[in-house]
Amino acid sequence: MIVILKKNPDREQLENLSNWLKSQGLSIHQSEGENSLVLGLVGDTADLDMELIRALDIVKDVKRVQEPYKNANRYFHPEDTVVSVGDTRIGGGYFQMIAGPCSVESPEQICEIARRVKAAGATLLRGGAFKPRTSPYAFQGLKAQGLELLLEAKKETGLPIVTEIMDLSQLDLFADVDVIQVGARNMQNFELLRQLGRTKQPILLKRGLANTLQELLMSAEYIMAGGNENIILCERGIRTFETATRNTLDLSAIPMLHKMTHLPVIVDPSHATGIAKLVKPMALAAAVCGADGLIIEVHNDPMHALCDGSQSLTPEQFDALADEVRAVLPFRCKSEF
Ligand code: PEP
Ligand code: MN
């Protein structure tokens, strides 16, 4: 961090500031320019309140030289992180497709979809048991029973399962879940993130509806600070002024995140668009842009799905998508940063 001081700063105020910075465990490099004095702060400035310093009379500006996320930062960890889930790996060149219904609805539904997406090439099964719904009157998921049904589908197909946790109180129920999803609405549930940092289970962390990439990485940092480095980031569309699609898929987030962090980045074209017909083109674009995987909603009977039928692919459509995605993988962009 650097602190740029106004011209001819009051010496007493400067001394007070310097003493306070030193008391925070930092050392100071002073450099005198023609028009300003610059203090270069050396040490861990992550907890330093920039605004407090900026508000001082003698201070013209404060700038961070390094990003506030350390564990997630590619600068400190140049190699791609590869997250292992059972026998599958995501990141660092390993590309995976996660597929399944928005919500687990019945034993027949989840097992049938699991078989079909596995046959099409998916390597992980998704399915919501606890559902974050905009309306309290909408189907809220089968909850604990939904988790049991997912485990049954796993037993039958061998596919590891990915499912969303909505609240800390559910953590014990998630002991056998292979990948714990933190949904967009919970991206900044910091207490939940902190507790997930104490587990060793891989976490699928979705970008919030209106969150910046830096905020996404700060949320990953909460989990990593607790010791859990098994994080998969997910771009799932953000809120914009556009209403023709459910959200706006931020494709540039893929190469940008690859520059900022070593963590794997996957894309959810289902929630990003909300429209089944848009899922394939966006999935292909994401794969070519360098995504490490996709998470896609598939339902055996979208017309009667209890949640998100309009964006769900049929198993046949997913099969076609998977073929096309595999065909473009050789043309995937490597990050050029
Ligand atoms: C989901 O994946 O089922 C979901 C609710 O996604 P998001 O949190 O991205 O809205
Ligand atoms: Mn959904």
Side-chain angles (χ1 to χ4, degrees):
M1 187 183 283
I2 56 171
V3 180
I4 305 157
L5 301 174
K6 289 179 188 158
K7 211 172 166 181
N8 303 322
D10 178 85
R11 288 287 138 187
E12 196 183 327
Q13 285 187 44
L14 175 56
E15 204 173 302
N16 286 343
L17 173 60
S18 302
N19 288 340
W20 181 76
L21 289 167
K22 284 179 198 155
S23 76
Q24 303 294 306
L26 300 166
S27 48
I28 302 169
H29 270 275
Q30 275 200 22
S31 49
E32 190 123 29
E34 225 169 81
N35 290 315
S36 58
L37 181 65
V38 176
L39 308 181
L41 310 186
V42 184
D44 187 0
T45 57
D47 289 337
L48 216 55
D49 187 344
M50 280 173 79
E51 297 313 316
L52 206 65
I53 303 171
R54 188 175 281 128
L56 297 174
D57 276 347
I58 54 168
V59 173
K60 193 164 145 198
D61 203 1
V62 186
K63 287 198 165 72
R64 273 198 193 279
V65 182
Q66 269 162 8
E67 298 79 8
Y69 47 93
K70 296 261 182 284
N71 290 296
N73 199 329
R74 187 173 292 271
Y75 182 79
F76 299 109
H77 187 302
E79 295 302 310
D80 288 335
T81 284
V82 178
V83 174
S84 293
V85 185
D87 294 335
T88 59
R89 285 185 269 190
I90 304 181
Y94 295 98
F95 181 97
Q96 304 298 338
M97 282 185 272
I98 306 171
C102 181
S103 310
V104 180
E105 296 172 10
S106 69
E108 297 74 28
Q109 177 245 20
I110 190 66
C111 287
E112 153 95 3
I113 297 172
R115 277 193 297 272
R116 303 287 297 270
V117 298
K118 184 182 179 184
T123 44
L124 295 104
L125 174 67
R126 66 149 286 149
F130 294 91
K131 292 303 304 175
R133 301 302 300 277
T134 302
S135 166
Y137 309 117
F139 175 59
Q140 306 283 307
L142 295 182
K143 306 192 167 90
Q145 191 203 350
L147 293 179
E148 278 168 32
L149 297 182
L150 278 167
L151 289 169
E152 254 174 54
K154 175 183 176 180
K155 210 189 278 172
E156 207 180 298
T157 57
L159 290 178
I161 56 173
V162 181
T163 191
E164 177 169 353
I165 189 166
M166 277 177 57
D167 189 79
L168 213 45
S169 59
Q170 296 153 1
L171 194 54
D172 289 344
L173 291 171
F174 278 66
D176 297 324
V177 168
D178 299 287
V179 179
I180 303 179
Q181 176 174 321
V182 176
R185 291 154 192 82
N186 257 323
M187 189 203 91
Q188 288 191 316
N189 181 340
F190 299 121
E191 199 44 41
L192 177 63
L193 300 175
R194 207 190 290 281
Q195 294 301 328
L196 290 174
R198 304 216 172 121
T199 73
K200 286 279 162 273
Q201 283 153 285
I203 309 296
L204 172 56
L205 179 62
K206 293 187 120 186
R207 181 179 183 183
L209 277 71
N211 286 109
T212 64
L213 298 182
Q214 176 157 313
E215 286 165 345
L216 173 62
L217 293 178
M218 291 309 289
S219 291
E221 197 73 19
Y222 262 91
I223 302 170
M224 297 175 96
N228 186 355
E229 309 233 312
N230 295 310
I231 301 170
I232 304 157
L233 302 171
C234 181
E235 162 58 35
R236 45 78 71 205
I238 48 174
R239 272 282 166 91
T240 67
F241 51 82
E242 183 54 72
T243 54
T245 47
R246 185 175 180 179
N247 292 290
T248 298
L249 179 59
D250 180 8
L251 283 172
S252 58
I254 307 163
M256 205 60 216
L257 281 170
H258 280 318
K259 168 184 156 63
M260 296 163 85
T261 181
H262 50 88
L263 296 171
V265 180
I266 69 167
V267 168
D268 175 347
S270 308
H271 292 91
T273 62
I275 300 169
K277 280 201 162 64
L278 294 184
V279 170
K280 187 165 74 176
M282 293 303 100
L284 291 168
V288 172
C289 280
D292 297 297
L294 296 164
I295 178 164
I296 292 178
E297 287 189 343
V298 178
H299 198 285
N300 52 346
D301 184 5
M303 286 294 284
H304 296 101
L306 295 183
C307 183
D308 285 351
S310 62
Q311 67 193 35
S312 298
L313 301 186
T314 60
E316 293 77 16
Q317 288 169 330
F318 178 67
D319 202 30
L321 174 149
D323 279 347
E324 290 191 39
V325 165
R326 275 188 292 270
V328 301
L329 284 183
F331 307 106
R332 211 141 61 102
C333 297
K334 262 304 271 170
S335 170
E336 286 178 14
F337 286 106

